[in-house]
Amino acid sequence: MQSFIPPKRTLMGPGPSDISPQVLQALSRPTIGHLDPLFIKMMDEVKELLKYAFQTKNEFTIAVSAPGSAGMETCFVNLVEEGEKVLVCRNGVFGERMRQNVERCGGTAIVIDDKWGEPVSLNKVEEALLQHADIKIVAFVHAETSTGVLSDAESISTLARQHGCLTIVDAVTSLGGVPLLVDKWQLDAVYSGSQKCLSCTPGLSPVTFSKRAVDKMKSRTKAVQSWFLDQSLVLSYWSGEGKRSYHHTAPVNSLYALHESLLMLKNEGLEAAWSRHAFYHQELKEGLESLGIQFMVDEAYRLPQLNAVYIPEGVSDVEVRSRLLNEYNLEIGAGLGDLAGKTWRIGLMGYAAKKENVALCLKALSDVL
Amino acid sequence: MQSFIPPKRTLMGPGPSDISPQVLQALSRPTIGHLDPLFIKMMDEVKELLKYAFQTKNEFTIAVSAPGSAGMETCFVNLVEEGEKVLVCRNGVFGERMRQNVERCGGTAIVIDDKWGEPVSLNKVEEALLQHADIKIVAFVHAETSTGVLSDAESISTLARQHGCLTIVDAVTSLGGVPLLVDKWQLDAVYSGSQKCLSCTPGLSPVTFSKRAVDKMKSRTKAVQSWFLDQSLVLSYWSGEGKRSYHHTAPVNSLYALHESLLMLKNEGLEAAWSRHAFYHQELKEGLESLGIQFMVDEAYRLPQLNAVYIPEGVSDVEVRSRLLNEYNLEIGAGLGDLAGKTWRIGLMGYAAKKENVALCLKALSDVL
């Protein structure tokens, strides 16, 4: 067996996205202790940078030391108590995963379904909340990675608050790519992933909790079922005040990389990053359409950073993706779940949202098709 | 805010340990997709290399995409069912954490205590198993990171099997540093961490499950409470056969680093690595004793890779560790739990078990004291 030397791919799938050499370089800086005063200071900076990315003043804003799926579970296990009703809005793979999380916490999931490729219906949310007065939490996916659909987080949040509910929001693919205004929209528990529009390596999950969410955690009657994800334990590890209590060994180098990628986002500016995603999406869209490729998702709620398109008739999904990968070192994503074999997902996330990527993707697709 | 440029520390605490430049370089190689055929092939190699490190043929041998504490939880949530009795052997911080895990799974922990600094008492294990015929699992820490004590895993495992019990074994600090023979000792669920004697960056947790453990998982009556750690879902992601099903996005770059560190271990050879730890422990020990520093743990069950020593009387714990860190860029560990302020923990783990580290540590301590 030999050292593993990966090729240099262009990553235009649903994540991991392309990563700046600057972030990879940060990743490989010398490891220091996770309780080293310099590292603790860096963790404090990561918190500040995450608050900027999430557009929040929430004190409880950290990175879970595990991938986005663990970030999702963190929100559910800390907020859902046994027997509680949670409204789950399902319009793709990740809404379904939310339902499973609710049930594994001993909660009851009230599910409303929207077609894959459509956003969450506000009418259905409202109806469900009217029908079940005892719903405590509304859970939904802001940007569905499986379909490329953006839902109206602000309006769902307004409805939830009108009915006295908290919100749990999957912002895995939205953070850094499209507007996500945690405080303005009054979202309560929001999780994301490092490997999408933040263009960091996979493995970390930024989360933020509002005061209302923290209050609900504090009023729990039973300990959180997960020791590792119990935020009452984790918070004292991430807290800047006084003595930091040991919880687990932080993924030191991964946090170097997250720090660097968040700094790049801050230096570019969130609005500029959103515009850049929109701009290259437009360029990609025009090119794809001129190749006769159709978008699955209506323009009104299409994600610029994740372009779900129909595989043209008579074209072999696997063969095209293999040729792109093997001949052009270009990765695009397959369809997920019910959409496997029917769609491709072309990502323009973070550092991947740039002219040369769009050009390569269009030329390679036009050659191969 | 600026890029974070850490100093180069010498890491002789309880982990993270010193990391080879070769591993840091692997970490920063270009990210490829987590479903890229080349990456999947590398995951298969990681499995093979982990089997070597664990000395097992267990097919279910993978790295959990999160730190050792999540590896611990993985073993408990998958194996312990509601209402089941688990014998927890507690002789330090991590035994106590096991107890908390059992309770959060809805199990009942039968706890036997040994003094911190002493190994698990075989007599107490046997007595407890005789007294509670319905114990299903025996959980213990092979190498207690909080005290530097090695327990007799083989004998505890024998007792457990005599009473029809499975074993859950914390091998966070033992893997790669002292003999750990999973198959020979017939251990059932064993977890470790990447950042100790494997000298990889923190954030991954190698685990291995015996056939008996897998059978118990398969016969569960209720779904595992954690979606993220449910090994029935994870296994199909790590399985080499046929179509790999998506579970979460693997921490791609961290796995490059683990692959490299395991390859280094394989190339050195396990026996050679064990001998190296023992050899430099001896050198450190003689030097410390000549400085008048006393070991906390009896030689018979002392870990070579984690040296718990008493802080000499009249010496300020914090001041000495700060001076070592700030003047010598040398990290040694503080005492944990009840031992805070009373002991230091000097690690000689993995890549840190070498002559220059021992020399630096002895000279720096002798200067500062």
Side-chain angles (χ1 to χ4, degrees):
Chain A
M1 244 180 249
Q2 306 276 314
S3 291
F4 179 67
I5 312 289
K8 174 75 194 74
R9 307 284 204 203
T10 299
L11 298 177
M12 297 180 73
S17 58
D18 270 355
I19 293 171
S20 157
Q22 208 174 316
V23 172
L24 289 175
Q25 201 201 43
L27 187 62
S28 67
R29 292 195 179 120
T31 307
I32 62 175
H34 68 116
L35 297 172
D36 191 308
L38 295 177
F39 184 70
I40 288 174
K41 190 166 160 280
M42 195 211 71
M43 284 171 86
D44 289 340
E45 290 187 3
V46 168
K47 282 176 70 173
E48 287 311 307
L49 291 164
L50 282 175
K51 286 184 197 172
Y52 172 72
F54 276 124
Q55 291 287 287
T56 184
K57 291 194 168 63
N58 286 342
E59 199 37 54
F60 199 153
T61 304
I62 64 162
V64 173
S65 302
S69 332
M72 178 189 283
E73 188 161 326
T74 299
C75 293
F76 284 92
V77 291
N78 283 278
L79 287 176
V80 179
E81 285 207 80
E82 225 172 289
E84 282 184 349
K85 275 193 190 160
V86 179
L87 178 63
V88 174
C89 310
R90 184 168 61 181
N91 62 336
V93 166
F94 296 94
E96 164 57 19
R97 190 173 290 185
M98 285 178 148
R99 184 193 65 76
Q100 294 173 30
N101 267 276
V102 171
E103 299 200 337
R104 290 188 188 221
C105 297
T108 303
I110 309 293
V111 179
I112 53 171
D113 272 303
D114 283 291
K115 228 180 107 187
W116 287 35
E118 303 275 338
V120 173
S121 149
L122 298 176
N123 284 340
K124 289 186 190 168
V125 172
E126 189 163 27
E127 275 168 30
L129 289 171
L130 287 168
Q131 204 184 326
H132 305 272
D134 51 349
I135 289 175
K136 301 279 188 212
I137 293 170
V138 177
F140 66 95
V141 179
H142 185 212
E144 244 299 345
T145 319
S146 61
T147 62
V149 163
L150 184 70
S151 285
D152 180 353
E154 185 173 18
S155 299
I156 300 172
S157 168
T158 302
L159 284 171
R161 267 175 295 114
Q162 282 167 357
H163 290 82
C165 295
L166 297 183
T167 44
I168 293 181
V169 185
D170 180 324
V172 170
T173 288
S174 57
L175 183 67
V178 288
L180 168 68
L181 306 172
V182 169
D183 283 0
K184 182 155 182 266
W185 299 347
Q186 300 187 56
L187 310 176
D188 292 303
V190 186
Y191 59 90
S192 189
S194 50
Q195 80 285 9
K196 309 275 182 181
C197 296
L198 299 181
S199 273
C200 180
T201 44
L204 295 174
S205 179
V207 294
T208 185
F209 294 97
S210 72
K211 190 183 169 300
R212 297 200 315 159
V214 173
D215 287 345
K216 185 165 194 315
M217 290 185 209
K218 283 186 182 159
S219 68
R220 287 184 68 93
T221 55
K222 210 181 137 190
V224 170
Q225 65 192 24
S226 168
W227 186 92
F228 178 59
L229 301 177
D230 182 344
Q231 298 300 288
S232 67
L233 305 175
V234 171
L235 189 57
S236 62
Y237 183 52
W238 274 84
S239 159
E241 300 138 36
K243 200 167 171 290
R244 195 160 295 225
S245 71
Y246 167 64
H247 179 257
H248 64 279
T249 303
V252 174
N253 291 66
S254 300
L255 284 163
Y256 294 169
L258 183 63
H259 182 277
E260 189 70 26
S261 66
L262 289 168
L263 197 58
M264 286 177 70
L265 179 62
K266 178 124 197 258
N267 288 340
E268 178 179 17
L270 264 178
E271 289 79 5
W274 298 334
S275 302
R276 176 170 51 83
H277 283 91
F279 181 84
Y280 288 111
H281 161 71
Q282 193 60 29
E283 205 163 288
L284 179 71
K285 177 191 120 133
E286 285 162 17
L288 290 172
E289 286 177 350
S290 76
L291 292 174
I293 293 176
Q294 303 299 315
F295 275 77
M296 192 185 91
V297 173
D298 193 276
E299 221 165 338
Y301 38 83
R302 189 184 292 166
L303 287 170
Q305 66 271 46
L306 190 67
N307 298 272
V309 296
Y310 289 114
I311 300 171
E313 268 190 58
V315 166
S316 158
D317 171 24
V318 173
E319 193 193 322
V320 169
R321 284 190 294 106
S322 297
R323 285 192 59 194
L324 293 177
L325 193 68
N326 296 323
E327 297 174 22
Y328 297 83
N329 271 310
L330 170 64
E331 179 179 89
I332 66 168
L336 202 57
D338 291 349
L339 297 170
K342 295 178 193 153
T343 62
W344 288 320
R345 290 178 298 158
I346 304 177
L348 278 176
M349 294 178 175
Y351 190 68
K354 55 184 175 185
K355 198 160 190 76
E356 58 265 46
N357 280 25
V358 173
L360 172 65
C361 180
L362 291 174
K363 183 63 170 72
L365 268 176
S366 123
D367 288 356
V368 166
L369 285 175
Chain B
M1 243 179 247
Q2 306 275 315
S3 291
F4 179 67
I5 312 289
K8 175 76 194 75
R9 307 283 204 205
T10 299
L11 298 178
M12 298 180 72
S17 58
D18 269 356
I19 293 172
S20 156
Q22 206 175 316
V23 171
L24 289 176
Q25 201 200 44
L27 187 62
S28 67
R29 291 194 180 120
T31 307
I32 63 176
H34 68 115
L35 297 171
D36 192 309
L38 295 177
F39 183 70
I40 288 174
K41 190 166 161 280
M42 195 211 72
M43 283 172 85
D44 289 339
E45 290 187 4
V46 167
K47 282 176 69 170
E48 287 312 306
L49 290 164
L50 282 175
K51 287 183 197 172
Y52 171 73
F54 277 124
Q55 291 289 287
T56 184
K57 292 194 168 64
N58 287 343
E59 198 37 53
F60 200 152
T61 304
I62 65 163
V64 173
S65 302
S69 334
M72 177 190 284
E73 188 162 327
T74 298
C75 293
F76 284 93
V77 291
N78 283 279
L79 287 175
V80 178
E81 286 207 80
E82 226 173 289
E84 282 184 351
K85 276 193 190 159
V86 179
L87 179 63
V88 174
C89 310
R90 184 169 61 181
N91 63 336
V93 165
F94 296 93
E96 164 58 18
R97 191 173 291 187
M98 285 178 148
R99 184 192 65 76
Q100 294 174 30
N101 266 275
V102 170
E103 299 200 338
R104 290 189 188 221
C105 296
T108 304
I110 309 292
V111 179
I112 53 171
D113 272 303
D114 283 291
K115 227 181 110 187
W116 287 35
E118 304 275 337
V120 173
S121 148
L122 299 176
N123 284 340
K124 289 185 190 170
V125 171
E126 189 162 28
E127 274 169 31
L129 289 171
L130 287 168
Q131 202 183 327
H132 304 272
D134 51 350
I135 288 175
K136 302 278 187 212
I137 294 169
V138 177
F140 65 96
V141 179
H142 185 213
E144 246 298 347
T145 318
S146 60
T147 61
V149 163
L150 184 70
S151 285
D152 180 354
E154 185 173 17
S155 299
I156 300 172
S157 169
T158 302
L159 285 172
R161 266 175 296 114
Q162 282 166 359
H163 291 82
C165 295
L166 297 183
T167 44
I168 293 180
V169 185
D170 180 325
V172 170
T173 288
S174 56
L175 183 67
V178 289
L180 168 69
L181 307 172
V182 169
D183 282 1
K184 182 156 183 266
W185 299 347
Q186 300 186 55
L187 310 176
D188 293 302
V190 186
Y191 59 89
S192 189
S194 50
Q195 80 285 10
K196 308 276 181 182
C197 296
L198 299 181
S199 275
C200 180
T201 44
L204 295 175
S205 178
V207 294
T208 185
F209 294 97
S210 72
K211 191 185 168 300
R212 296 200 315 159
V214 173
D215 288 346
K216 184 163 194 319
M217 289 184 209
K218 284 186 181 160
S219 69
R220 287 184 69 94
T221 55
K222 210 182 137 189
V224 170
Q225 65 192 26
S226 169
W227 186 91
F228 177 59
L229 301 176
D230 182 344
Q231 297 301 288
S232 68
L233 305 175
V234 171
L235 189 58
S236 61
Y237 183 53
W238 274 85
S239 159
E241 299 138 37
K243 198 165 170 296
R244 194 160 295 226
S245 72
Y246 167 63
H247 179 258
H248 65 278
T249 303
V252 174
N253 291 66
S254 301
L255 283 163
Y256 293 169
L258 183 63
H259 183 276
E260 189 70 26
S261 66
L262 289 167
L263 197 58
M264 285 178 70
L265 179 63
K266 178 125 199 255
N267 288 341
E268 178 179 15
L270 264 178
E271 289 78 5
W274 299 334
S275 302
R276 176 169 51 81
H277 283 92
F279 180 84
Y280 288 111
H281 161 72
Q282 194 58 31
E283 205 163 288
L284 179 71
K285 178 191 117 139
E286 284 161 18
L288 289 173
E289 286 176 351
S290 76
L291 292 175
I293 293 175
Q294 303 299 317
F295 273 78
M296 193 184 92
V297 173
D298 193 276
E299 221 165 339
Y301 38 83
R302 189 184 293 166
L303 287 170
Q305 66 270 46
L306 190 67
N307 298 271
V309 295
Y310 289 113
I311 299 171
E313 268 190 59
V315 166
S316 157
D317 172 23
V318 173
E319 192 193 323
V320 168
R321 284 190 294 108
S322 298
R323 285 191 60 194
L324 293 176
L325 194 68
N326 296 323
E327 296 174 23
Y328 297 83
N329 271 310
L330 170 65
E331 180 179 90
I332 66 169
L336 202 56
D338 292 349
L339 297 170
K342 296 177 193 154
T343 61
W344 288 321
R345 290 178 296 157
I346 304 177
L348 278 176
M349 294 180 176
Y351 190 67
K354 56 185 173 184
K355 198 161 190 76
E356 58 266 45
N357 280 26
V358 172
L360 172 65
C361 180
L362 291 174
K363 183 64 170 71
L365 268 176
S366 121
D367 288 357
V368 167
L369 286 175

